[in-house]
Amino acid sequence: DAGITQSPRHKVTETGTPVTLRCHQTENHRYMYWYRQDPGHGLRLIHYSYGVKDTDKGEVSDGYSVSRSKTEDFLLTLESATSSQTSVYFCAISESRGAGTEAFFGQGTRLTVV
Amino acid sequence: AQSVTQLDSQVPVFEEAPVELRCNYSSSVSVYLFWYVQYPNQGLQLLLKYLSGSTLVKGINGFEAEFNKSQTSFHLRKPSVHISDTAEYFCAVSDRDNQGGKLIFGQGTELSVKP
């Protein structure tokens, strides 16, 4: 398995509170991604990073921010959690820019906003 | 814009029977195609991918998929399934201008293999 660790694995939080999810990789891959998984929607890209301090928005970025201060860590922050952000969040990494490159996924974080 | 449609949300099948999971995509540019599998409470794992060349692609665990450009399809098949194949399967596409991890996923198909 690719060395990807997501923390926490499960979290319950209240509406309006900030939440930060962490993705840590030991593969030294340059590219990192955050997806959310929802029934009927598959996985949708939230934000991605192509290097330290280089990030960009994905398909469903509203309400989320990211930071990458080190190659190995990619943080996803919900500034003020809402019930619509209840989801399973997956971090992924890839080694190169080529579109055919395999993406490796973490185990996921199940977030519940009550 | 690209999109991926998995035509069946659930596919129940008996052990040792053949199975086909259907995937259609829409894109105005050349694409790469992927199938990922997600076992319960786990992340996604790559089954196979089509980049170019032969339209029949073989993957892990006995799965294969056929790229059909005229029908914009990339159906996944296995001639004989096992209980352990019970999982959710995702078809995904990436156009050739995108970075490798920027994937557009289908809605997923739950494969349930019964004894």
Side-chain angles (χ1 to χ4, degrees), chain B residues 25-36:
Chain B
Y25 69 93
S26 67
S27 176
S28 58
V29 298
S30 295
V31 296
Y32 297 130
L33 294 156
F34 305 79
W35 275 99
Y36 281 84

Side-chain angles (χ1 to χ4, degrees), chain A residues 52-71:
Chain A
V52 173
K53 298 192 188 313
D54 278 332
T55 64
D56 207 345
K57 296 179 179 179
E59 178 188 1
V60 290
S61 60
D62 287 349
Y64 302 95
S65 62
V66 290
S67 65
R68 191 164 177 205
S69 58
K70 298 185 290 185
T71 298

Side-chain angles (χ1 to χ4, degrees), chain A residues 40-43, chain B residues 4-6 23 89-93 104-109:
Chain A
H41 292 278
L43 280 79
Chain B
V4 177
T5 302
Q6 292 183 239
C23 172
Y89 292 79
F90 292 95
C91 181
V93 63
I104 304 296
F105 284 87
Q107 302 89 332
T109 298

